[in-house]
Amino acid sequence: MLLGSFQSWHNIEREREREREREREAMKEITMLAKDLDIKNRRELRDGNSTITTILIFFCLSLAIMGFFISFHARKFVISEKIFFPQMDKLTPFTNTLPSSITPLCNTSCSSPSPNFSSTRFDQWLAPKELWHSMTDEELMWRASMVPRVNEYPYNRTAKVAFMFLTRGALPLGPIWEMFFKGHDGLFSIYLHSSPEFNEEPPESSVFFRRRIPSQPVEWGRATMIDAERRLLANALLDFSNERFVLLSETCIPLFNFTTIYNYLIKSNHTFLGSFDDPRPMGRGRYNKRMWPLITIQDWRKGSQWFELNRRIAIEIISDREYYPIFREYCKPSCYMDEHYLPTLVTKRFPELNSNRSVTWVDWSKGGSHPASFKRNDINEGFLNRIRHESNCIYNGNSSEICFLFARKFEANTLEPMLQIAPKLLGFNP
């Protein structure tokens, strides 16, 4: 790769030298012409025969010189593009082939592509084939914030749900999720944000194979947690088929089969983000007056960080340059940014699009700063069914007993009993 870079640089330098030689030759010719015209003009002035023609010739000559320099420097800029803008290589399209599930909307009357047009160039922007990239967070957010102004998609688009896992390492409950996703290819995408030092890969047959994104260290309760969530959203937004975005932890389990959860999310008119006005010290008490006037105490909201969002809101979150810097500056422990930033932002900008509830169940009945954890002996059908059905909420304007689609916090030793119960209870594919 270094040799290729050197050769590319050497070719550019040779092209520059040829341009400089052509510039010197052209300047010699222009100088000789100018001298001849100057001598002729002096003679005519001495003889009293100066004419408008000579003035026009000088004017045209000046324009020619100006045009030459503009053309030369424009070519020089194009030649040196890769040297002065090497970061552009990071933003080039990801894939080289057209996914087999995507067919252009074209009938038999469509003409063949011209010889200079690559039929895969458009498709390279639809979804990254590989998740790993060298973009910085700033470049990633900029790239992911691009929004087409045309609402119709020029290909057969099937809406997908992006499952975004915020983990420290491997997924201890991964086999449950393997069963959950089995048989539903093309309807979901998976993204893993793990600790940067974790570099293990599951078997190639796993749905989690090569689904890690470039990650950064995360500290609980600090802005780095929101940075990780935004990083997951931005990577998922690069796939234009992702329509809904779910944030999950390594301790989460699904409460229903894939088809039920997929239809629930895709058909929903609202997003699912907990957001409420909490008058207690752990709510309004965390508000910092220095956030005023952009964020007032009346704007302040609290909620669970485990969200589900639609594409429109996800784009706004990763594009936010107004509220995020204020939260990063003034919401520090004992103000926990992951509990306040998104609930406040979404309530201020999209109150009509949010259900103000989460679809991830947790147990806060024991108090404390963290919800209850569940161990092997807690897992049975009765316990899971209570979570699945003993609630009531509003879904698309109607009452529903399906309010929670996921649950946490389940420890690693719950895997064995879950594998025994899940296939029958949750209706997973065999």
Side-chain angles (χ1 to χ4, degrees):
M1 183 172 66
L2 291 174
L3 178 59
S5 299
F6 175 78
Q7 290 175 340
S8 176
W9 174 83
H10 186 63
N11 291 336
I12 291 171
E13 286 299 311
R14 285 194 299 177
E15 182 61 25
R16 282 179 171 176
E17 183 58 34
R18 286 194 292 267
E19 289 289 344
R20 286 193 288 266
E21 183 61 30
R22 285 194 288 268
E23 180 187 18
R24 287 192 291 268
E25 293 297 327
M27 285 302 300
K28 288 180 181 179
E29 294 180 5
I30 292 171
T31 302
M32 293 294 294
L33 178 59
K35 287 181 177 179
D36 291 342
L37 289 173
D38 182 60
I39 293 170
K40 181 179 180 180
N41 188 49
R42 290 175 183 275
R43 289 173 179 172
E44 291 180 347
L45 285 172
R46 188 169 55 246
D47 298 336
N49 296 324
S50 180
T51 64
I52 297 177
T53 302
T54 303
I55 297 174
L56 290 175
I57 289 175
F58 269 106
F59 177 74
C60 293
L61 181 60
S62 300
L63 290 178
I65 294 172
M66 184 183 299
F68 172 80
F69 276 106
I70 292 174
S71 174
F72 172 77
H73 288 289
R75 288 196 302 271
K76 187 164 65 173
F77 174 80
V78 172
I79 292 170
S80 60
E81 179 186 14
K82 289 189 177 180
I83 291 179
F84 290 101
F85 297 97
Q87 68 272 23
M88 292 301 291
D89 290 339
K90 304 175 185 177
L91 304 175
T92 53
F94 290 90
T95 62
N96 294 318
T97 59
L98 175 66
S100 59
S101 60
I102 297 174
T103 56
L105 297 181
C106 180
N107 55 35
T108 55
S109 64
C110 292
S111 59
S112 300
S114 76
N116 295 323
F117 174 76
S118 171
S119 61
T120 63
R121 291 298 297 177
F122 166 75
D123 307 299
Q124 291 173 354
W125 293 92
L126 297 181
K129 188 175 182 179
E130 299 290 339
L131 297 188
W132 207 259
H133 56 75
S134 59
M135 286 185 284
T136 65
D137 278 358
E138 183 180 12
E139 292 168 340
L140 173 64
M141 301 298 164
W142 175 82
R143 170 76 178 274
S145 67
M146 295 181 180
V147 181
R149 296 290 298 273
V150 178
N151 294 327
E152 297 81 12
Y153 290 87
Y155 66 98
N156 292 337
R157 178 182 185 264
T158 298
K160 296 191 295 187
V161 177
F163 292 83
M164 309 178 302
F165 291 86
L166 187 58
T167 77
R168 285 167 291 187
L171 289 173
L173 303 175
I176 294 293
W177 289 101
E178 296 275 2
M179 297 173 64
F180 172 78
F181 288 118
K182 184 179 179 181
H184 300 285
D185 293 347
L187 299 178
F188 67 90
S189 301
I190 295 174
Y191 302 86
L192 304 173
H193 187 295
S194 57
S195 298
E197 61 272 13
F198 178 78
N199 57 11
E200 297 178 15
E201 279 290 347
E204 191 171 348
S205 59
S206 171
V207 294
F208 298 104
F209 180 68
R210 291 185 177 176
R211 301 311 298 175
R212 287 185 297 119
I213 65 170
S215 306
Q216 298 293 331
V218 175
E219 297 178 89
W220 178 76
R222 297 190 178 272
T224 53
M225 182 72 75
I226 297 298
D227 293 338
E229 295 176 11
R230 283 158 54 99
R231 202 173 290 124
L232 280 164
L233 282 173
N235 278 278
L237 283 167
L238 297 181
D239 186 336
F240 280 86
S241 292
N242 286 332
E243 187 61 34
R244 310 290 298 207
F245 304 80
V246 185
L247 181 67
L248 301 162
S249 78
E250 59 195 19
T251 67
C252 283
I253 62 168
L255 294 174
F256 296 91
N257 60 33
F258 181 89
T259 301
T260 300
I261 291 178
Y262 176 85
N263 288 333
Y264 192 98
L265 297 179
I266 291 295
K267 295 179 180 180
S268 175
N269 298 327
H270 300 88
T271 60
F272 299 96
L273 173 71
S275 178
F276 61 96
D277 184 2
D278 187 351
R280 299 175 299 171
M282 62 186 66
R284 285 198 174 197
R286 295 174 178 173
Y287 173 74
N288 190 323
K289 294 181 180 179
R290 285 178 288 184
M291 294 181 172
W292 186 90
L294 190 60
I295 302 169
T296 68
I297 187 67
Q298 289 76 25
D299 298 327
W300 192 249
R301 293 293 184 273
K302 182 181 178 181
S304 169
Q305 78 175 106
W306 309 106
F307 59 74
E308 190 282 336
L309 305 170
N310 64 21
R311 188 172 185 89
R312 176 184 172 187
I313 294 180
I315 291 172
E316 291 298 323
I317 288 172
I318 63 102
S319 305
D320 175 35
R321 296 297 184 271
E322 187 175 13
Y323 299 99
Y324 176 73
I326 294 178
F327 271 88
R328 185 175 55 193
E329 179 69 22
Y330 299 117
C331 183
K332 300 177 181 178
S334 60
C335 175
Y336 302 104
M337 195 169 169
D338 55 275
E339 294 183 9
H340 296 282
Y341 169 63
L342 290 184
T344 301
L345 175 67
V346 172
T347 299
K348 281 183 68 67
R349 288 191 172 178
F350 311 101
E352 74 286 357
L353 298 181
N354 189 27
S355 65
N356 293 327
R357 65 181 178 92
S358 175
V359 286
T360 299
W361 180 87
V362 290
D363 182 6
W364 289 99
S365 63
K366 296 182 180 180
S369 56
H370 296 281
S373 295
F374 301 100
K375 299 177 174 59
R376 177 189 179 94
N377 293 336
D378 297 315
I379 306 304
N380 56 68
E381 288 191 21
F383 169 65
L384 294 176
N385 273 328
R386 284 194 298 273
I387 301 175
R388 281 155 43 92
H389 299 295
E390 290 188 3
S391 299
N392 192 272
C393 57
I394 301 298
Y395 175 79
N396 285 351
N398 299 311
S399 178
S400 173
E401 67 172 16
I402 299 181
C403 302
F404 298 107
L405 306 180
F406 313 98
R408 61 185 302 267
K409 302 171 58 174
F410 290 79
E411 296 186 1
N413 59 21
T414 63
L415 176 61
E416 184 178 345
M418 281 294 300
L419 288 175
Q420 296 175 0
I421 295 174
K424 179 181 178 181
L425 180 66
L426 306 184
F428 288 167
N429 288 336

